[in-house]
Amino acid sequence: MRFVTSCFLVVLLACGVAGCAEEQVNYKVDMVAPSEFLLGPEDVLVVTVWKNQDLSREVAIRPDGMISMPLIGDVPAANLTANSLAKRIADRLTEYMASPIVSVQLKEVNSYFIYVLGEVPKPGKYSLKSYANVMQGISLGGGFTAFAKKNQIKVLRATSEGAGMKHQIEIPVHYDDILKGHAAVGNFYLRSGDVIVVP
């Protein structure tokens, strides 16, 4: 599965509170859809080992990010591309056969989902089959209620630092500025697990 090349936008925002020292906040967001799809839990794969029907099978990625294969047992699959996973399986199979040829096809995309909460007509979890940006995510929730504060929207995102420690960031979304085309943080693409909060 291929998408348009990914890019990152780093936005520097100044603290708007009176008397507050200027503060810089960096937001790394995707302004175009990522170029490659990374596999995740619940995705369904078709693993084919050339000329070996017994080792070829359909598998689903477990919640722990692993798949189970004959001979080699559990193989980490989450956060890899299909091609990278095929290479990993082939490398493991070299212990049992000479020059195995492995292909991995993505049959079902189930790991890409977002949440839309707050002042929207249809809040909830949305499982998607293709990448969506913020405006598309809001539209999935049915737009806004009459009480929505459109310029105080936030996208909550779990991210990890170099040491692998996860933490949550809040990315501000100014709806009117996006419509006018001069938002500091634009209509960026959502990542799996992102939560759109409309106060």
Side-chain angles (χ1 to χ4, degrees), residues 123-146:
K125 176 182 178 180
Y126 291 89
S127 296
L128 307 178
K129 302 303 180 185
S130 60
Y131 289 113
N133 57 38
V134 174
M135 300 289 268
Q136 292 167 336
I138 293 170
S139 71
L140 290 171
F144 301 109
T145 68

Side-chain angles (χ1 to χ4, degrees), residues 3-183:
F3 296 88
V4 184
T5 304
S6 175
C7 70
F8 295 101
L9 172 69
V10 179
V11 182
L12 303 179
L13 298 177
C15 178
V17 180
C20 178
E22 187 173 282
E23 176 184 332
Q24 290 187 335
V25 181
N26 297 337
Y27 299 104
K28 291 185 177 180
V29 296
D30 305 306
M31 296 310 295
V32 295
S35 60
E36 295 183 317
F37 180 76
L38 299 182
L39 303 172
E42 299 185 31
D43 286 340
V44 179
L45 313 173
V46 177
V47 180
T48 304
V49 181
W50 191 54
K51 291 186 176 181
N52 196 317
Q53 190 64 35
D54 291 337
L55 294 180
S56 301
R57 59 188 49 214
E58 182 176 303
V59 295
I61 300 178
R62 304 195 308 252
D64 62 359
M66 310 285 279
I67 61 172
S68 296
M69 292 292 296
L71 290 181
I72 58 177
D74 288 348
V75 180
N79 298 316
L80 295 177
T81 64
N83 288 338
S84 297
L85 177 58
K87 183 179 184 307
R88 177 171 288 183
I89 294 171
D91 289 344
R92 294 272 295 272
L93 285 173
T94 55
E95 300 177 25
Y96 305 95
M97 61 182 68
S99 303
I101 299 175
V102 179
S103 66
V104 174
Q105 294 177 305
L106 180 58
K107 182 178 181 181
E108 294 180 17
V109 177
N110 298 315
S111 64
Y112 183 59
F113 59 89
I114 63 170
Y115 297 91
V116 186
L117 304 176
E119 293 295 336
V120 294
K122 298 183 295 182
K125 176 182 178 180
Y126 291 89
S127 296
L128 307 178
K129 302 303 180 185
S130 60
Y131 289 113
N133 57 38
V134 174
M135 300 289 268
Q136 292 167 336
I138 293 170
S139 71
L140 290 171
F144 301 109
T145 68
F147 304 102
K149 298 174 182 175
K150 300 178 182 179
N151 294 312
Q152 297 180 30
I153 301 169
K154 293 179 180 179
V155 172
L156 308 182
R157 173 174 293 173
T159 186
S160 57
E161 298 176 335
M165 297 293 293
K166 286 191 173 293
H167 67 283
Q168 178 179 281
I169 62 172
E170 296 181 358
I171 305 173
V173 175
H174 298 281
Y175 182 81
D176 289 342
D177 288 347
I178 289 178
L179 293 182
K180 295 173 184 176
H182 54 69

